[in-house]
Structure formats: C-alpha cells, structure tokens
Amino acid sequence: MIDLHTHTTSSDGRCTPAELVARAARAGVDVLSVTDHDTTAAAAAASAACASAGIEFVAGIEITAVVDGRDVHVLGYFIDPDSAPLAAFLAEQRRRRIDRLKQIIDRLSGLGIVLDADAVLQPGRDDTSKAAGRPWVARALVAGGHVADTREAFDRFLATGKPAFIPRIGPAPPDVFNRIHASGGIASLAHPGLLARDNLIPAFARAGLDALEAYHSKHNADETARYLETADAHGLAVSGGSDYHADPSHDAGGPGCVSLPREAFQVLKDRCAARRATASGAATSS
Ligand SMILES: [Zn+2]
Ligand SMILES: [Zn+2]
C-alpha cells in the first residue's frame, strides 16, 4: 500500500512520527509520506522509523495557500526537508497560524467563551517547528466542556462562516508551487473534492501544479473518477493518501485506507525527476 498523506504531532495529528510509522507498518503500508501542515519537523524521525520498518519514506509537506480568503492545501513530495529557503517560508507560515489562533480565541471570548490563550498556544511556543491549527482551539473547547467533540467545535464555531471563523492570510497557490519546486519537489492539489473549486484547476496546471490528489479517504468513487479524468485532461499526475490524523472526529480510516496505485506513484517519481532535470539544465545554461 502507498499512503502519501498523513499527519503527526508536528501539526494536527495525534501520533508521534514513530507511532504513525508503527501503525502504517501494521496496516501493510510500504510507501509512506508524512505531510504535516507547514512544517517538516517530523521528517527526520519519520524517515528513521520508516527505514527500520522497511517502508519507503517520501519527504512531504502540506502547505496552506489562500485563494479569496479560503484555504487551498498544496501537497509537496520529494522535497528536501532541510532546504533553508523552504524552512524560512514555513516559519513565516507558522507565525501567521499563531496570529490567527489568537484572533479566533479573541472572537470566542466576545461570544462569552473564555479560553486560556497561553495554554492553547503553548505547544507552538515550546516548539516553534510545530504548526498550530484550529484543532488546538477545538480541543480546548472540548476540554472546557463547551462542546462535546472537536467536530461540534468546528460545526458551531470554527468552520468557514461560523461565528469564530477568521479568514486566513497567506500565499497564492502558484507561489507555493514555486517554493516546492525550488526545494526539489513536486506539487499536488490536496483533496480537490473537499476544496470543491474545480474551476481553479486549469489555471493551477498552467502555473506549475504537477498532480491532483485524486485518491483521498473522503472522496467517493465518483469524485475519484472525476479527478482522474481532470488530471488526465490537464496533463497532471495523480497522488493519493488517507489524510490520517489519528483523530476519530477527523479521520475516514486508518493509514493505508486509501492506497495510490503503484503505476501512479512511478509517474510522480518520473515527474519529479523531469522537473529536477529541467531545473539543473536551466541552472547550467544560464
Ligand atoms: Zn488538507
Ligand atoms: Zn492533510
């Protein structure tokens, strides 16, 4: 099984990298990418755990871009997780995440729900490589007895258009594609079925997007078929994964519940090799 979309405690997942790899190994995954939001902090530990479990590790990331105030998640694969320019860009992304959570907590207090902002944001201060996210606020709402579970926290307060929703500020997708390419990787549009902005895909393809995440745990068979066709129509490869967070209110299945076909994985690798060859050709000819 090939699972190219998972999260750890470095972002909003609940498994450490070692625990995630152990669960993936038990499920029969033999190619795994860890794609935390706006951080590569788990890459070294996940890579080491994969090596000892006999799993092929693909260095990955899920970067949040913004279009019209709405999130567009862009997956990066085969990146250099230690790239300095990428690290600087991701650090800025994480600072924006902390600022946004502060605004959300302020908004909640205006609604009469007082959370301890310091406590909610503490993990991001203790370890600046961690990417803060709304699930941290959702969990604080559960812990404070304001909602029954994190799903209710999103449905009542945190989701787009709800009373404590704060639009994100961030880079446009083409900027993110370029940064992924500059760190040696390729870019795939995450869960296009959840994004539900198919009209954006042709322009993304022209701006350097490499693939669509046609296979995702929350895509139904029709959506998967539609994105396979769309990818084909625009000369894009396809990626796929479970988007496993080890969070029952978030997950549609465990690691490996969605598996990318092996031929499609090879196409991603070939695409990456072609990009790198073009980039090095451009570098030597200039
Ligand atoms: Zn996502
Ligand atoms: Zn994800």
Side-chain angles (χ1 to χ4, degrees), residues 1-180:
M1 286 174 196
I2 299 175
D3 190 340
L4 298 185
H5 193 156
T6 61
H7 294 271
T8 74
T9 45
S10 288
S11 64
D12 56 350
R14 290 186 166 191
C15 281
T16 62
E19 177 59 24
L20 171 71
V21 172
R23 290 185 188 192
R26 279 201 294 277
V29 171
D30 63 342
V31 179
L32 180 72
S33 187
V34 173
T35 51
D36 278 312
H37 298 286
D38 295 321
T39 180
T40 58
S47 168
C50 279
S52 49
I55 292 176
E56 179 178 350
F57 176 73
V58 176
I61 183 105
E62 184 170 17
I63 297 177
T64 304
V66 178
V67 173
D68 306 330
R70 287 172 57 189
D71 293 5
V72 174
H73 290 179
V74 181
L75 296 157
Y77 293 117
F78 312 109
I79 56 166
D80 170 9
D82 301 319
S83 153
L86 181 66
F89 169 73
L90 296 176
E92 175 62 26
Q93 289 275 88
R94 294 193 297 272
R95 275 193 295 276
R96 280 195 287 258
R97 285 175 166 271
I98 294 271
D99 288 347
R100 182 179 185 223
L101 289 201
K102 284 182 188 156
Q103 292 179 52
I104 290 172
I105 291 166
D106 282 352
R107 186 70 72 80
L108 283 167
S109 91
L111 298 167
I113 296 175
V114 178
L115 297 179
D116 180 349
D118 284 336
V120 174
L121 299 171
Q122 195 58 46
R125 288 207 189 83
D126 290 345
D127 179 353
T128 55
S129 73
K130 277 190 194 260
R134 285 175 294 170
W136 292 14
V137 179
R139 288 169 204 165
L141 286 169
V142 176
H146 303 288
V147 292
D149 56 25
T150 55
R151 183 161 293 173
E152 187 188 343
F154 274 85
D155 289 348
R156 281 181 55 199
F157 298 109
L158 303 175
T160 307
K162 301 300 177 186
F165 178 75
I166 301 284
R168 195 191 296 274
I169 296 168
D175 181 18
V176 172
F177 307 155
N178 289 339
R179 288 174 191 275
I180 289 170

